[in-house]
Amino acid sequence: MHIFITDALVIDLDKEVWQCRGCEAELGSARENYKSFLRVRPRDPQDIHAPIIDKNRYEFTFAPDPEWTRIVEYYCPHCARQMEVEYLPPGHPPAYDIELDIDALKAQWADREALAEPAIGPAFVPPQHHHRKGGE
């Protein structure tokens, strides 16, 4: 049974493996960090967030300092679908952002019907908001 975890990531509970939602390729054990099975592209943060003010005149330009921050992009090694992006200090290992109890998932989904597409909740309709003039 396939369980949708993110827009790009699925778990095959029968095989206990991560899969790409785009190409359905098996990535690796669902008991490990999925990022360890992906292609990694480190980026200079100033390529993404260009300086807003003249860097020749000012020390701080509103662009992240590459000495302090790296942008790391993760891609499916089979179809190149982007799976994740994270901002990390240089040299930091990939964040372990999804750790699931596979045995508990299997128990929860044992009696459920498999989903062909992710379940999406109802559209959010914000409640009406009224401002009163002068605190009336």
Side-chain angles (χ1 to χ4, degrees), residues 70-86:
R70 292 281 190 266
I71 298 173
V72 183
E73 299 173 343
Y74 297 90
Y75 295 90
C76 172
H78 304 278
C79 70
R81 179 180 183 146
Q82 189 174 57
M83 298 279 199
E84 182 64 75
V85 177
E86 54 191 13

Side-chain angles (χ1 to χ4, degrees), residues 18-89:
W18 294 110
Q19 283 186 321
C20 173
R21 186 163 168 225
C23 69
E24 299 180 357
E26 292 183 6
L27 301 172
S29 171
R31 295 184 185 271
E32 298 178 42
N33 188 350
Y34 69 95
K35 292 176 188 169
S36 63
F37 307 113
L38 304 177
R39 297 242 187 240
V40 178
R41 181 180 182 208
R43 301 286 305 270
D44 182 330
Q46 293 183 354
D47 289 344
I48 308 296
H49 305 286
I52 294 175
I53 56 179
D54 185 357
K55 60 183 173 183
N56 295 322
R57 293 182 58 198
Y58 301 99
E59 179 181 1
F60 301 106
T61 64
F62 298 101
D65 184 342
E67 296 290 319
W68 289 84
T69 293
R70 292 281 190 266
I71 298 173
V72 183
E73 299 173 343
Y74 297 90
Y75 295 90
C76 172
H78 304 278
C79 70
R81 179 180 183 146
Q82 189 174 57
M83 298 279 199
E84 182 64 75
V85 177
E86 54 191 13
Y87 288 64
L88 296 171

